């Protein structure tokens, strides 16, 4: 085999054909993509997540070959595969007699540390290139908030709007006279307008799935290998973006927080997988969505709400991740220690909201942000489940979950395990919120209006008990003043009943 001066590593979440690496064909460069057990096994992953990444990698390798680049692809069942990223890099550098190894910055701390440690012990030249994807540097957020106790996303978001001139008028002020239209985006969905047709492509991955099974790769969830509905390349991702902007974005804002047992997608974009493996860039998504507003295709509240997720929250949590790693994954400010109930892996619970949200996650490898935060995460926090176990489940179950984005969302936003570095208050609710924003409570074994008793919704007693158990942490929080006023006005016997019922629920989570 002909040698090559340079070996370049392309990770499974770096499938960006617009990266400057690929602007010119150089026969002295070999691009390496690898399917490794190191990445399938560090946490138990949903079957569709493994299929999506490997299938997209294979598609990307074919694309590079068609463009004239040299590619070395290591499949999961290749006899020469060491099943380690750096093990394979070392072997291939030797095989090609390379004098230089390059990689794009790994977005997960463990891989970043692994590659840097490996490079430090090499005699050949190594180089780390930028992914050219994000709109901020890893440490920009830490620099902005240096010396501040709390790093408020809203301040960061406004700065990003100004810096990139997004949704500003000619005078540099926010369109519509305000920065945030979140209050306009909290409508429940009652069946109209109709959920749009699923515009995502369909693929048959039965052969790849058979290879994964033969190779002993462990997973969970429904692989849906015969009718796989996620984009595998940039062209398909762009088509999904366009379909979202034209068909779905106009209603996204109104029903951003809504949940439905009959329409799990509602008006969400489902673009996060394509974004997080870099088929799409955040900049081009923002430009296209803002253009829809400028051209009269979508209301400002919908456009601002969506852009806030990409320009604000996505870049913000990445900054949180790099500012607090390593160690952020071990945060447990409330000392929650309960094990994750086994029904998180099956959906077999009598609580209909969790049955539906977890069941959807297991079937499709996706749930939108309110299902993740206010149904699943809400219960986990109220029940006192160990945040590290919640983190590993979220990281494994969702197709768009890479640690840089998932960990702050789970440990910080959802479980308040970081002690409020992200969230100014815990995101918890009783059944009233779930009943208002969804149809999940209809037909449930439990009664959303009852606080105690055999058929009382577990969220209710757990909610009040959570604030009683953690009063030392939260009772001086101004955003929770009303909660503690309500508790102060409850009769002692009512408080005792809530405590007793909550304790009983926490002692038998497996049976709920």
């Amino acid at each position: 085999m002909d040698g090559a001066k340079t070996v370049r590593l392309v990770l499974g979440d770096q499938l960006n054909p617009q990266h400057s690496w690929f602007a010119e064909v150089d026969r002295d460069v070999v691009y390496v993509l690898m399917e490794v057990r190191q990445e399938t096994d560090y946490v138990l992953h949903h079957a569709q997540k493994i299929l999506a990444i490997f299938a997209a990698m294979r598609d990307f390798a074919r694309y590079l070959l068609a463009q004239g680049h040299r590619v070395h692809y290591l499949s999961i069942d290749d006899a020469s595969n060491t099943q380690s990223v750096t093990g394979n890099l070392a072997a291939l550098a030797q095989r090609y007699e390379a004098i230089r190894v390059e990689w794009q910055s790994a977005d997960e701390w463990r891989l970043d540390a692994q590659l840097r440690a490996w490079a430090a012990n090499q005699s050949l030249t190594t180089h780390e290139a930028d992914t050219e994807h994000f709109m901020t540097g890893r440490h920009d957020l830490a620099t902005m908030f240096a010396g501040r106790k709390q790093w408020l996303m809203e301040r960061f978001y406004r700065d990003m709007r100004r810096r990139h001139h997004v949704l500003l008028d000619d005078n540099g002020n926010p369109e519509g006279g305000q920065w945030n239209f979140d209050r306009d985006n909290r409508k429940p969905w009652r069946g109209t307008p109709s959920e749009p047709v699923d515009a995502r492509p369909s693929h048959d991955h039965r052969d790849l799935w058979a290879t994964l099974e033969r190779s002993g790769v462990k997973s969970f969830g429904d692989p849906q290998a015969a009718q796989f509905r996620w984009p595998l390349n940039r062209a398909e991702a762009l088509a999904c973006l366009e379909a979202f902007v034209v068909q779905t974005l106009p209603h996204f804002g109104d029903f951003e927080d809504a949940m439905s047992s009959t329409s799990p997608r509602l008006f969400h974009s489902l673009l996060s997988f394509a974004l997080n493996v870099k088929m799409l860039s955040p900049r081009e998504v923002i430009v296209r969505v803002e253009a829809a507003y400028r051209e009269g295709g979508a209301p400002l509240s919908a456009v601002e709400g969506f852009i806030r997720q990409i320009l604000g929250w996505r870049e913000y949590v990445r900054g949180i991740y790099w500012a607090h790693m390593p160690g952020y994954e071990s945060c447990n400010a409330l000392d929650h220690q309960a094990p994750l109930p086994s029904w998180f892996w099956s959906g077999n619970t009598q609580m209909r909201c969790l049955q539906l949200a977890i069941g959807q996650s297991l079937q499709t490898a996706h749930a939108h942000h309110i299902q993740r935060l206010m149904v699943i995460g809400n219960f986990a926090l109220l029940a006192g489940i160990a945040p590290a176990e919640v983190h590993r489940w979220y990281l494994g179950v969702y197709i768009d979950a890479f640690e840089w984005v998932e960990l702050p969302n789970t440990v910080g936003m959802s479980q308040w395990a970081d002690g409020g570095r992200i969230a100014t208050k815990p995101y918890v609710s009783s059944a009233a919120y779930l009943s208002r924003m969804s149809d999940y409570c209809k037909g449930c074994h439990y009664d959303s209006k009852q606080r105690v008793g055999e058929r009382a919704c577990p969220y209710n007693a757990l909610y009040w008990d959570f604030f009683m158990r953690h009063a030392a942490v939260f009772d001086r929080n101004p955003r929770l003043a009303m909660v503690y006023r309500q508790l102060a006005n409850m009769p002692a016997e009512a408080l005792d009943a809530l405590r007793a019922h909550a304790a009983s629920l926490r002692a038998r989570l497996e049976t709920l």
Side-chain angles (χ1 to χ4, degrees), residues 78 92 137 145 163 280 286 355 376-377 385 397 431 434 448:
D78 191 312
L92 290 171
F145 289 106
R163 190 189 314 179
L280 297 174
I286 291 165
Q355 181 187 96
I376 302 170
I385 296 172
V397 74
L434 301 175
S448 64

Side-chain angles (χ1 to χ4, degrees), residues 263-282:
S263 301
R265 287 182 297 109
L266 281 178
F267 303 96
H268 292 270
S269 72
L270 278 67
L271 292 172
S272 50
F273 170 70
L275 270 165
N276 290 353
V277 297
K278 303 178 181 62
M279 296 173 189
L280 297 174
S281 77

Side-chain angles (χ1 to χ4, degrees), residues 169-215:
D169 62 23
D170 293 339
N171 297 316
N173 298 316
E175 286 288 352
Q178 60 192 66
W179 293 100
N180 189 316
F181 289 84
D182 198 34
R183 290 188 178 180
D184 297 331
N185 295 344
R186 296 173 180 169
K187 297 183 178 69
W189 184 73
R190 304 301 185 214
T192 55
S194 300
E195 181 185 45
V197 173
D198 191 347
R200 293 175 298 163
S202 182
H203 298 280
D204 189 332
H205 291 323
R206 281 175 289 190
D207 289 346
L208 176 55
W209 179 242
T211 299
L212 290 169
E213 290 191 304
R214 283 195 307 271
S215 301

Side-chain angles (χ1 to χ4, degrees), residues 72-284:
H72 191 113
Y73 196 94
L74 276 172
S75 60
I76 194 76
D77 57 349
D78 191 312
S80 66
N81 193 338
T82 71
Q83 304 300 336
S84 159
V85 171
T86 49
N88 284 334
L89 263 187
L92 290 171
Q94 184 176 18
R95 177 175 181 173
Y96 285 102
E97 299 180 341
I99 60 174
R100 184 178 178 89
V101 171
E102 300 180 352
W103 67 92
Q104 295 175 34
S105 297
D107 288 322
E108 297 198 352
W109 185 89
R110 62 184 178 83
L111 265 176
D112 183 77
Q114 179 185 354
L115 286 164
R116 292 186 181 206
W118 176 82
N121 292 314
Q122 302 305 306
S123 57
L124 48 70
T125 302
T126 60
H127 175 69
E128 179 180 348
D130 191 84
T131 62
E132 302 172 7
H133 175 79
F134 293 98
M135 299 175 74
T136 52
R138 280 181 178 176
H139 304 295
D140 286 359
L141 189 77
T143 299
M144 173 183 283
F145 289 106
R148 292 177 178 266
K149 183 179 179 180
Q150 198 158 53
W151 298 10
L152 294 177
M153 198 283 286
E154 186 67 22
R155 182 189 166 200
F156 169 77
Y157 170 57
R158 294 182 186 189
D159 181 78
M160 291 290 284
R161 290 265 297 272
R162 293 188 185 101
R163 190 189 314 179
H164 297 282
H165 203 79
V166 174
L167 286 179
L168 300 181
D169 62 23
D170 293 339
N171 297 316
N173 298 316
E175 286 288 352
Q178 60 192 66
W179 293 100
N180 189 316
F181 289 84
D182 198 34
R183 290 188 178 180
D184 297 331
N185 295 344
R186 296 173 180 169
K187 297 183 178 69
W189 184 73
R190 304 301 185 214
T192 55
S194 300
E195 181 185 45
V197 173
D198 191 347
R200 293 175 298 163
S202 182
H203 298 280
D204 189 332
H205 291 323
R206 281 175 289 190
D207 289 346
L208 176 55
W209 179 242
T211 299
L212 290 169
E213 290 191 304
R214 283 195 307 271
S215 301
V217 175
K218 303 299 182 185
S219 65
F220 69 102
D222 186 349
Q224 293 190 359
Q227 193 178 22
F228 187 85
R229 299 302 306 272
W230 296 95
L232 299 185
N233 53 53
R234 176 167 169 77
E236 291 182 348
L238 284 170
C240 290
L241 170 61
E242 192 63 21
F244 166 68
V245 169
V246 174
Q247 301 173 17
T248 309
L249 177 61
H251 305 296
F252 167 78
D254 284 347
F255 307 108
E256 181 180 350
D257 289 1
M259 297 168 283
S260 169
S261 62
T262 59
S263 301
R265 287 182 297 109
L266 281 178
F267 303 96
H268 292 270
S269 72
L270 278 67
L271 292 172
S272 50
F273 170 70
L275 270 165
N276 290 353
V277 297
K278 303 178 181 62
M279 296 173 189
L280 297 174
S281 77
R283 192 179 304 274
E284 71 185 329

Side-chain angles (χ1 to χ4, degrees), residues 200-383:
R200 293 175 298 163
S202 182
H203 298 280
D204 189 332
H205 291 323
R206 281 175 289 190
D207 289 346
L208 176 55
W209 179 242
T211 299
L212 290 169
E213 290 191 304
R214 283 195 307 271
S215 301
V217 175
K218 303 299 182 185
S219 65
F220 69 102
D222 186 349
Q224 293 190 359
Q227 193 178 22
F228 187 85
R229 299 302 306 272
W230 296 95
L232 299 185
N233 53 53
R234 176 167 169 77
E236 291 182 348
L238 284 170
C240 290
L241 170 61
E242 192 63 21
F244 166 68
V245 169
V246 174
Q247 301 173 17
T248 309
L249 177 61
H251 305 296
F252 167 78
D254 284 347
F255 307 108
E256 181 180 350
D257 289 1
M259 297 168 283
S260 169
S261 62
T262 59
S263 301
R265 287 182 297 109
L266 281 178
F267 303 96
H268 292 270
S269 72
L270 278 67
L271 292 172
S272 50
F273 170 70
L275 270 165
N276 290 353
V277 297
K278 303 178 181 62
M279 296 173 189
L280 297 174
S281 77
R283 192 179 304 274
E284 71 185 329
V285 172
I286 291 165
V287 167
R288 181 64 187 94
V289 169
E290 182 173 7
Y293 164 67
R294 302 289 182 194
E295 296 162 3
L300 179 57
S301 60
V303 169
E304 186 279 317
F306 186 81
I307 286 176
R308 183 164 9 103
Q309 291 187 353
I310 308 299
L311 183 64
W313 191 252
R314 186 172 184 266
E315 298 282 336
Y316 171 79
V317 296
R318 176 174 177 259
I320 290 286
Y321 179 79
W322 284 107
H324 298 298
M325 286 294 285
Y328 194 73
E329 74 285 359
S330 302
C331 290
N332 191 357
L334 299 176
D335 194 29
H336 284 177
Q337 302 293 343
L340 196 74
S342 62
W343 43 261
F344 267 69
W345 305 99
S346 67
N348 294 330
T349 171
Q350 297 179 95
M351 290 175 283
R352 189 167 182 256
C353 59
L354 283 161
Q355 181 187 96
L356 290 166
I358 291 176
Q360 175 188 326
S361 302
L362 296 172
Q363 183 180 13
T364 69
H366 187 269
H368 69 69
H369 66 288
I370 296 298
Q371 293 169 310
R372 299 187 201 194
L373 179 66
M374 297 307 299
V375 180
I376 302 170
N378 182 11
F379 177 83
L381 181 53
L382 294 177

Side-chain angles (χ1 to χ4, degrees), residues 21-33:
W21 267 6
F22 312 118
E24 295 181 359
V25 172
D26 186 344
R27 300 303 294 175
D28 277 332
V29 174
V30 171
Y31 292 98
V32 173
L33 292 92

